[in-house]
Amino acid sequence: MLLLLSHFSPKPPLSRSSTSLTCSSSFSLCLRRLKFPFCPFSLFKSPSTPPSLACHVSSSCSSAGGVHMDSTSASVDSVTRDLKDQSLGSDGPDETRSSNVANSRLQDLNWDHSFVRELPGDPRTDSIPREVLHACYTKVSPSVEVENPQLVAWSESVAQFLDLDPKEFERPDFPLLFSGASPLVGSVPYAQCYGGHQFGMWAGQLGDGRAITLGEILNSKSERWELQLKGAGKTPYSRFADGLAVLRSSIREFLCSEAMHFLGIPTTRALCLVTTGKYVTRDMFYDGNPKEEPGAIVCRVAPSFLRFGSYQIHASRGNEDLGIIRTLADYAIKDHFPRIENMSKSESLSFSTGNEDHSVVDLTSNKYAAWVVEIAERTASLVAGWQGVGFTHGVLNTDNMSVLGLTIDYGPFGFLDAFDPSFTPNTTDLPGRRYCFANQPDIGLWNIAQFASTLSAAQLIDDKESNYAMERYGTKFMDEYQAIMTKKLGLPKYNKQLISKLLNNMAVDKVDYTNFFRLLSNVKADPNIPEDEFLVPLKAVLLDIGKERKEAWINWVQSYIQELSSSDVSDEERKASMDSVNPKYVLRNYLCQSAIDAAEQGDFGEVRRLLKLMERPYDEQPGMEKYARLPPAWAYRPGVCMLSCSS
């Protein structure tokens, strides 16, 4: 039997930069120990997974009158769960707000500008491309030219948590305001400075080359939300580009931001999408054949757009800027991780590591250590979530990694159609497939190592704390992914052999990832089903399989039914549970392209239909079944199934 591993391209080396951002030898050792040798996810052998963590929690001043706990089964998960609850606001699929909240008009939004108020800025305010030193941002206003801009689509869900009156979308000047052509009252626009590793190599200063943040809004719950216009014009970080965006890529980003949220994956959001009425020149395939495309702007929304690269850029500039790393870390912890900021020094949270010397990391003695562990765990959970729904980001450079654990920067992304662990949606990634679906867990760890190295360079954490953060990434990823796959299959407990065999079969027969798991819930836990009926519930996805492959699938289904039979959960209960984690609809690239083709002709109806569809991905939605179909033949043309970074 062909092993699944043979379907992968050889993994490229996770190269190090030759700059000051190189990892220490202990980092390298930790990476080797935690390397995920078998790609999609957690079905690999894991000798490097650290043993159960010994957690010793004591409190000399607790409300319980001095409780003392000592348990080897406890872990940092309960601590980080508390830390997560405070920062992302309404980031799950369900959003409910008090009916007593008064919605605001645009001119009444409660602006706050903590980023520009508390962090060092560029003394210059022009948009001339240049190296910006000793600063976290440059104040710069949108400069995009517009001509009769139009509102393409909007998210009422985002407007709701911003306390924005949905009637504001009907304002005649709304497209002017959210193209940046007219200033929003109370905004203080700026572009952020950051760097990053791109495809494993240090790229130097990058920054917001076409994204301009308008400022932060505090809603009625005192949640902080940053509004950012992508495609609003040149900034000092635009390098040789024009600072603009095209309708094609803007539709993809708008729709996927919202689709991922309703799938339950942490993500930046999108308030609205407007056309500029102007054309933008783009060489989509980098083949010397540029063409004119309609311009557009997305208003992105997140608690913060801070990235790993926001910190890396200052470490790359030597000792002079190391202090900015601490200032920026303090800012992030205070505004977005207050549970860490307020952690009592009288509480001791000590965790033994997986090292041979059984060293101990005390997370309360160093808030930066607690912070990097929290970021590592959020990142691990995020990547596990991607693997669960079959999402491939495509450009996992460190400048595209959020410190809040959000999916950020939707470029050449793609959801799996036929299951192929080596799938990459990015044409630029084709030579080595560094960012392919199967490599995402490894890349997440590599990026955490770069971030931890930056904090070490600023002497905020030591090697022991850095290594512990990476250990936690590995442990958290394994735990999260195994739980996700167990739920997707409706199993009573995790079964590595059964799941590994399934993924092998899916890869060999190129089975549609989304549709297979959705149909799997129709399999009955009845060991008396005749063998010739085993595959009936799956016949719509097991296409063109020969006798040998049919036998392999029958054997797997038989083992699966036996496993289900060990549970007392009814078929109806299991189906409901499985359908709640296996989406019926995902934002396949060909669906995006259909909406793009119509929008470029002035018809925005399909964009809006897709948005409504993706707001309920786990529901059957009768009458919408065509959106769950396999990609048509035209979907495999260049620019649909695979894309470049040109946008």
Side-chain angles (χ1 to χ4, degrees), residues 83-89 224 303 335-338 378 404:
L83 302 179
K84 284 180 184 176
D85 289 342
Q86 45 73 32
S87 69
L88 293 183
R224 184 177 301 275
D335 279 359
H336 302 289
F337 299 82
R378 288 192 185 193
L404 298 185

Side-chain angles (χ1 to χ4, degrees), residues 145-278:
E145 294 183 4
V146 304
E147 183 177 323
N148 189 27
Q150 297 182 56
L151 179 60
V152 176
W154 59 94
S155 170
E156 294 183 1
S157 168
V158 174
Q160 189 176 41
F161 67 67
L162 294 178
D163 300 332
L164 180 63
D165 190 331
K167 292 182 179 178
E168 292 294 277
F169 292 117
E170 301 171 11
R171 291 174 55 144
D173 62 345
F174 189 92
L176 286 169
L177 292 166
F178 282 90
S179 65
S182 296
L184 265 171
V185 175
S187 64
V188 179
Y190 68 88
Q192 191 187 151
C193 179
Y194 50 82
H197 282 86
Q198 297 193 327
F199 294 91
M201 301 299 294
W202 177 245
Q205 177 181 291
L206 299 168
D208 286 333
R210 57 177 171 170
I212 296 178
T213 291
L214 300 178
E216 304 144 38
I217 289 173
L218 294 177
N219 67 11
S220 58
K221 292 184 175 181
S222 296
E223 296 167 340
R224 184 177 301 275
W225 294 99
E226 186 175 319
L227 270 59
Q228 184 181 87
L229 301 183
K230 184 173 181 178
K234 284 187 177 182
T235 77
Y237 312 104
S238 297
R239 292 169 283 174
F240 301 106
D242 56 19
L244 306 177
V246 298
L247 183 59
R248 162 177 52 86
S249 63
S250 300
I251 286 174
R252 287 172 53 81
E253 174 135 21
F254 175 82
L255 288 176
C256 203
S257 298
E258 294 305 285
M260 289 289 276
H261 168 74
F262 288 101
L263 284 169
I265 308 295
T267 178
T268 59
R269 303 293 301 276
L271 174 64
C272 61
L273 166 63
V274 299
T275 60
T276 63
K278 293 284 191 176

Side-chain angles (χ1 to χ4, degrees), residues 446-465:
W446 193 87
N447 289 342
I448 286 291
Q450 309 313 308
F451 182 67
S453 178
T454 296
L455 300 188
S456 289
Q459 299 184 341
L460 301 184
I461 60 175
D462 58 29
D463 281 359
K464 199 165 53 174
E465 292 161 339

Side-chain angles (χ1 to χ4, degrees), residues 4-19:
L4 181 55
L5 191 61
S6 67
H7 289 266
F8 304 165
S9 299
K11 285 193 177 183
L14 300 183
S15 52
R16 296 289 190 278
S17 160
S18 59
T19 71

Side-chain angles (χ1 to χ4, degrees), residues 479-492:
D479 290 347
E480 291 278 325
Y481 189 75
Q482 289 179 7
I484 287 170
M485 290 305 290
T486 300
K487 291 176 183 176
K488 284 181 76 69
L489 273 74
L491 298 174

